[in-house]
Amino acid sequence: MRVGVLTGGGDCPGLNAVIRAIVRKGVQEYDYEFIGFRDGWRGPLEGDTVPLDISAVRGILPRGGTILGSSRTNPLKIENGIRRVGENLAEFGVDALIVIGGEDTLGVAATLSDEHGIPCVGVPKTIDNDLSATDYTFGFDTAVNIATEAIDRLHTTAESHMRVLVVEVMGRHAGWIALHSGLAGGANVILIPEQRFDVDQVCGWVESRFKIRYAPIVVVAEGAMPKDGDMVLKDGTLDSFGHVRLSGVGEWLAKEIEKRTGKEARTTVLGHVQRGGTPSAFDRWLATRFGLHAIDAVRDGDFGKMVALRGTDIVRVPISEATARIKTVDPKLYTEAGVFFG
């Protein structure tokens, strides 16, 4: 059997660990052949491939990013895209395709598998941790650790100058990174997309910190919105999956805080640094287990499924179910964090 592998969407730490596990177990235990497709769905769309064998995956476990490259290419939006993907898979003799990605990448896999008979197995990847069918996605833990370390460092400079520091982290529709890193880093305000915020209330929390001679840290997800405003956009352009580019809510909020309180406020946008670098031990462990179970699903012919973490078990769920809705922060969890606001 020849198995294709691709990584799509935004890169994140742990992708290489998945690829390594798939190839190692697939070659050693099942005697499968592997072929990698470059740059997400662009690879099978254009027939751009790279050989994948044990030597190709040696030493990649601690490396961030992906040796296969990634992109936000959407074959469903390209004329004859599905036909071209199918023809290229047939040309390269691919019997099954393992798709490693988030909501958008796996959404394409669900369509190809359910509606066009292309045998796909999915592996959940996103630093946002917003896929509803799995307890955690790999990449999330590393992103939270990076953001937490940044918040830890910003506390000292904020207190040295007694200024407000606003930290903008990733999170388009789900505030998992903001919530986890903000709570772990001792932030005084955490703002997430699931709960619209009142700027005056934020300013009240900020001023209460200054009253006890502490400089506040405000952590805000890029998709967070004020009660009387809209999402702040970097620009109005859309990618191939219809997403706008976010960034700017941190800078906007810092200006509002400074204007309303008279306190100096600065912004740190962590941006893509949250995606980069070596994966944490947890993400290497989770990504490796996902890879091992993904190749088992191929062996079993259990296509149209995604591997998922439930407790400490790896289970299989329909890809279409996994991508039907995003997993957002439970209001109860946000209420818990509110004890530390102000």
Side-chain angles (χ1 to χ4, degrees):
M1 175 175 276
R2 174 173 280 190
V3 180
V5 182
L6 68 82
T7 56
D11 67 292
C12 82
L15 286 166
N16 288 323
V18 182
I19 298 167
R20 170 181 174 268
I22 289 169
V23 173
R24 285 286 297 271
K25 187 169 188 178
V27 171
Q28 292 173 192
E29 296 197 11
Y30 304 141
D31 198 30
Y32 290 168
E33 293 182 6
F34 291 89
I35 183 171
F37 288 97
R38 295 183 186 272
D39 303 334
W41 286 110
R42 189 191 67 79
L45 190 66
E46 300 180 5
D48 191 356
T49 66
V50 59
L52 272 184
D53 54 21
I54 288 182
S55 64
V57 300
R58 188 171 292 124
I60 68 172
L61 178 64
R63 286 174 55 183
T66 165
I67 61 170
L68 296 178
S70 191
S71 74
R72 296 193 182 277
T73 302
N74 184 358
L76 304 181
K77 298 294 185 180
I78 296 174
E79 186 177 0
N80 297 319
I82 295 176
R83 178 180 59 78
R84 288 165 58 185
V85 167
E87 289 175 351
N88 283 324
L89 292 177
E91 180 180 343
F92 288 105
V94 173
D95 300 298
L97 186 64
I98 296 178
V99 179
I100 310 167
E103 175 192 7
D104 295 325
T105 301
L106 292 177
V108 175
T111 299
L112 295 181
S113 183
D114 296 346
E115 300 179 18
H116 301 279
I118 295 177
C120 296
V121 169
V123 176
K125 167 246 43 154
T126 168
I127 66 169
D128 289 336
N129 196 39
D130 60 356
L131 280 169
S132 61
T134 183
D135 289 350
Y136 286 98
T137 55
F138 69 87
F140 171 67
D141 185 68
T142 304
V144 168
N145 286 337
I146 291 169
T148 301
E149 182 182 359
I151 295 166
D152 286 346
R153 293 176 180 273
L154 289 168
H155 272 292
T156 58
T157 185
E159 291 174 7
S160 295
H161 294 273
M162 291 303 292
R163 59 167 62 119
V164 185
L165 281 183
V166 178
V167 186
E168 182 184 305
V169 299
M170 286 186 169
R172 177 181 297 273
H173 300 297
W176 293 108
I177 294 176
L179 181 66
H180 281 238
S181 64
L183 199 57
N188 311 112
V189 182
I190 301 170
L191 306 175
I192 61 175
E194 294 88 339
Q195 301 279 341
R196 285 182 175 259
F197 61 88
D198 184 321
V199 179
D200 287 333
Q201 184 179 47
V202 172
C203 291
W205 286 326
V206 164
E207 290 180 317
S208 71
R209 291 294 290 180
F210 280 115
K211 288 178 182 178
I212 56 173
R213 298 292 300 169
Y214 281 99
I217 299 286
V218 178
V219 174
V220 56
E222 62 185 355
M225 293 180 284
K227 287 184 177 179
D228 56 353
D230 298 315
M231 188 177 289
V232 180
L233 308 181
K234 192 175 188 67
D235 57 50
T237 59
L238 303 177
D239 66 16
S240 60
F241 290 97
H243 297 312
V244 293
R245 295 178 63 193
L246 300 183
S247 186
V249 66
E251 189 66 34
W252 176 86
L253 183 59
K255 291 178 180 178
E256 287 296 313
I257 291 172
E258 194 164 280
K259 180 173 67 176
R260 299 186 189 201
T261 68
K263 303 294 186 181
E264 184 181 6
R266 300 289 179 84
T267 306
T268 297
V269 180
L270 296 184
H272 286 79
V273 71
Q274 294 159 93
R275 295 189 185 278
T278 188
S280 67
F282 178 83
D283 279 341
R284 298 184 202 190
W285 171 84
L286 180 58
T288 297
R289 292 191 70 202
F290 277 161
L292 297 175
H293 283 261
I295 196 62
D296 285 348
V298 170
R299 176 204 58 187
D300 296 342
D302 198 6
F303 300 117
K305 299 292 181 61
M306 182 192 84
V307 292
L309 180 69
R310 298 281 177 84
T312 58
D313 295 329
I314 304 296
V315 300
R316 301 172 190 168
V317 298
I319 302 176
S320 55
E321 174 188 317
T323 58
R325 63 181 180 86
I326 63 171
K327 179 178 65 181
T328 54
V329 173
D330 188 323
K332 294 179 181 178
L333 293 177
Y334 189 66
T335 300
E336 288 178 359
V339 171
F340 302 100
F341 293 0

